[in-house]
């Protein structure tokens, strides 16, 4: 019985190593070929695991994409600093959105499939994790605009307003990541969109 923890530890280490190989292989292939042009067989071959093993980590190709993105998005969201209360509201909203922009910047050709899977994909472990991470960002937006709640038009609740701003900005992020490869152009365009949205809420 004393050896059981050691065996379990070794098993968990092997599992973690396979997961890392799968994430690394999928990241490389999705970046080089794009999500649509990559197959799970290609990923399993590059990761040197059986395709059945890959499906134990990600049941579908879309779940594989979300697993890859989560591996990058999770530490960025977790390490993001709290919102600086001295920042203007529009700048604070942009800062809250920055983790998602950073991730989409890394693989702009896969931005559309990633966002499609968030909102329209089938339920799965990795999709639920992605939604949890995205909701953390949405909650930051809600906290930023909360002090202006009384000024919202048409009786909008804080949740409704933060969801509206967040969804509108996701569409804007997608447009800008794909159409504006330079950081300066993209940030200027996003800043203009944020100001329009916040004016619609009577925040600016």
């Amino acid at each position: 019985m004393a050896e059981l923890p050691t065996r379990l530890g070794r098993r968990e280490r092997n599992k973690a190593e396979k997961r890392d190989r799968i994430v690394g292989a999928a990241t490389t292939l999705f970046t080089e070929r794009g999500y649509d042009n990559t197959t799970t067989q290609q990923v399993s071959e590059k990761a040197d695991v059986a395709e059945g093993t890959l499906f134990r980590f990600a049941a579908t190709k879309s779940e594989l994409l979300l697993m890859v993105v989560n591996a990058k998005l999770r530490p960025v969201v977790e390490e993001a600093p709290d919102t600086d209360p001295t920042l203007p509201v529009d700048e604070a909203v942009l800062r809250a959105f920055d983790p998602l922009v950073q991730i989409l910047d890394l693989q702009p050709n896969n931005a559309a499939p990633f966002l499609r899977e968030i909102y329209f994909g089938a339920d799965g472990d990795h999709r639920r994790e992605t939604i949890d991470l995205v909701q953390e960002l949405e909650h930051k937006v809600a906290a930023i605009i909360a002090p202006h709640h009384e000024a919202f038009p048409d009786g909008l609740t804080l949740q409704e307003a933060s969801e509206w701003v967040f969804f509108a900005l996701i569409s804007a992020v997608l447009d800008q990541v794909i159409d504006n490869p330079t950081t300066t152009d993209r940030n200027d365009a996003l800043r203009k969109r944020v100001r329009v949205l916040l004016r619609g809420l009577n925040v600016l």
Side-chain angles (χ1 to χ4, degrees):
M1 294 295 293
E3 295 180 0
L4 186 58
T6 302
R7 290 202 299 270
L8 287 175
R10 186 181 302 116
R11 187 179 302 119
E12 290 304 311
R13 287 197 301 273
N14 289 339
K15 183 178 179 180
E17 288 170 0
K18 287 178 182 177
R19 180 188 177 95
D20 288 345
R21 293 208 308 271
I22 290 169
V23 169
T27 300
T28 298
L29 290 172
F30 288 156
T31 301
E32 293 176 351
R33 303 183 181 190
Y35 172 76
D36 291 334
N37 296 320
T38 299
T39 67
T40 54
Q41 182 178 354
Q42 290 167 340
V43 174
S44 65
E45 289 174 353
K46 188 171 185 63
D48 194 25
V49 299
E51 197 166 8
T53 300
L54 184 151
F55 288 134
R56 287 202 292 272
F57 289 90
T60 63
K61 181 181 169 183
S62 58
E63 277 280 278
L64 179 60
L65 173 65
L66 295 175
M67 182 173 77
V68 166
V69 174
N70 290 345
K72 302 288 185 183
L73 183 59
R74 189 186 313 109
V76 176
V77 171
E78 292 175 351
E79 294 169 10
D82 293 334
T83 302
D84 184 347
T86 66
L87 288 175
V89 179
D90 56 340
E91 191 64 36
V93 170
L94 280 172
R95 292 278 184 91
F97 238 76
D98 193 56
L100 189 58
V101 176
Q102 286 184 45
I103 299 306
L104 296 181
D105 263 346
L106 294 175
Q107 296 193 31
N109 293 332
N110 299 318
F114 166 65
L115 295 177
R116 181 182 66 229
E117 291 304 326
I118 291 178
Y119 293 107
F120 306 108
D123 183 45
D125 292 341
H126 297 299
R127 181 171 179 266
R128 287 193 292 271
E129 181 182 2
T130 304
I131 290 173
D132 287 343
L133 291 170
V134 169
Q135 284 180 339
E136 286 191 43
L137 302 181
E138 185 182 325
H139 293 159
K140 287 191 176 186
V141 171
I144 292 166
I145 64 176
H148 308 274
H149 181 206
E150 295 299 325
F152 294 169
D154 303 323
L156 279 176
T157 66
L158 177 60
Q159 180 177 347
E160 290 170 338
S162 61
E163 287 177 352
W164 177 63
V165 170
F166 197 84
F167 293 152
L169 279 180
I170 279 187
S171 175
V173 166
L174 179 58
D175 289 343
Q176 296 308 317
V177 166
I178 293 173
D179 296 335
N180 286 307
T182 65
T183 302
T184 300
D185 289 345
R186 185 202 65 211
N187 286 347
D188 287 346
L190 288 177
R191 184 170 285 102
K192 290 175 183 176
R193 185 72 65 93
V194 167
R195 287 173 177 165
V196 169
L197 292 169
L198 294 180
R199 288 190 189 107
L201 289 175
N202 295 327
V203 170
L204 290 183

